[in-house]
Amino acid sequence: MASRQVVEASNSSRIKKNLVSDSALSKEKKFVLSKKEKQSMKETKRKNLSSKRGRESTFWKNIKEITPNIYWTRIETYGTPGIPDLLGVCMHPKKNVSFWCELKIAKGNQLLLSPFQIAWNIKRYSLCQDNFIMAKIPETREVCLWTGACARELVVNYKEVEPVFVISQPYKEKLEKELMLVLVPAIKT
């Protein structure tokens, strides 16, 4: 009887050890699976963002190349949502003028602005009137510029909002000249 209890006790302890190791193993498997799932989700998200960002980053590079008299600072921040993509300084002989510019690629009739971007643009425009939203329209191959005050309407249908200017290809000679015309009246002589 005593030997039977010893055998049962050793079997019981072995079963407990197996259960503990099985639960540890299953936790490890769960961790590995959840890690793989998270990695897969990140890759999918990255692909979606990279295609969107890729087009926007190409737009940014084109703007930088064709505006030699504007000093651009590209801003990428996740700490302060809503801040525009670019801070520009228009170098003018009388006085330099700084301004903010959000870049977008139009999709359908909309510009995809986040609620933070909408709020930032509307508030900033009400205070300083020095922020704009510039969009590339792939269907018509045009670049349009709107004031920051129009942010909310641009999300609904940009075609119903009158832009400050519209330029078509080739942009090289036109973009900087149009930006100067918009910004230079702000310079007091």
Side-chain angles (χ1 to χ4, degrees):
M1 180 100 165
S3 65
R4 194 172 175 184
Q5 287 175 341
V6 171
V7 172
E8 284 178 8
S10 69
N11 283 344
S12 174
S13 67
R14 201 174 323 128
I15 290 171
K16 284 181 184 177
K17 285 181 184 176
N18 286 342
L19 286 175
V20 169
S21 67
D22 284 348
S23 72
L25 185 62
S26 66
K27 283 181 184 178
E28 196 174 298
K29 283 181 182 178
K30 286 178 186 177
F31 176 75
V32 169
L33 284 176
S34 68
K35 195 172 181 180
K36 285 180 182 177
E37 288 170 352
K38 286 178 185 176
Q39 192 174 13
S40 173
M41 287 173 58
K42 281 182 183 177
E43 287 173 10
T44 304
K45 200 173 194 181
R46 195 176 312 133
K47 286 177 186 175
N48 292 340
L49 286 175
S50 66
S51 65
K52 179 183 166 193
R53 281 193 182 145
R55 293 176 60 201
E56 233 173 65
S57 67
T58 303
F59 184 32
W60 146 242
K61 288 174 187 172
N62 292 339
I63 288 170
K64 186 178 179 182
E65 283 176 18
I66 63 176
T67 54
N69 294 315
I70 298 175
Y71 176 76
W72 296 104
T73 301
R74 177 109 190 227
I75 302 188
E76 286 292 328
T77 178
Y78 297 100
T80 310
I83 298 278
D85 299 317
L86 303 173
L87 174 61
V89 178
C90 176
M91 293 180 277
H92 190 269
K94 293 189 179 190
K95 185 179 178 185
N96 294 338
V97 177
S98 66
F99 64 101
W100 293 91
C101 191
E102 178 67 45
L103 298 179
K104 289 294 170 190
I105 304 291
K107 197 169 190 171
N109 291 340
Q110 299 176 326
L111 299 183
L112 301 177
L113 294 164
S114 76
F116 294 112
Q117 290 170 325
I118 294 167
W120 192 96
N121 275 284
I122 291 171
K123 182 65 174 179
R124 177 71 185 198
Y125 197 80
S126 73
L127 296 171
C128 301
Q129 298 180 351
D130 68 345
N131 58 306
F132 301 92
I133 298 166
M134 187 183 303
K136 185 174 184 180
I137 317 299
E139 298 85 34
T140 60
R141 296 184 176 185
E142 295 174 327
V143 172
C144 300
L145 185 81
W146 293 273
T147 64
C150 303
R152 189 175 287 123
E153 293 82 10
L154 295 173
V155 172
V156 177
N157 187 350
Y158 72 84
K159 293 179 180 180
E160 293 179 359
V161 182
E162 185 68 31
V164 175
F165 68 74
V166 178
I167 59 170
S168 53
Q169 284 185 330
Y171 312 119
K172 189 170 185 164
E173 302 298 321
K174 300 174 189 173
L175 183 61
E176 188 172 84
K177 186 186 289 184
E178 289 293 330
L179 282 170
M180 293 283 197
L181 288 173
V182 170
L183 297 169
V184 170
I187 298 173
K188 300 210 179 345
T189 54

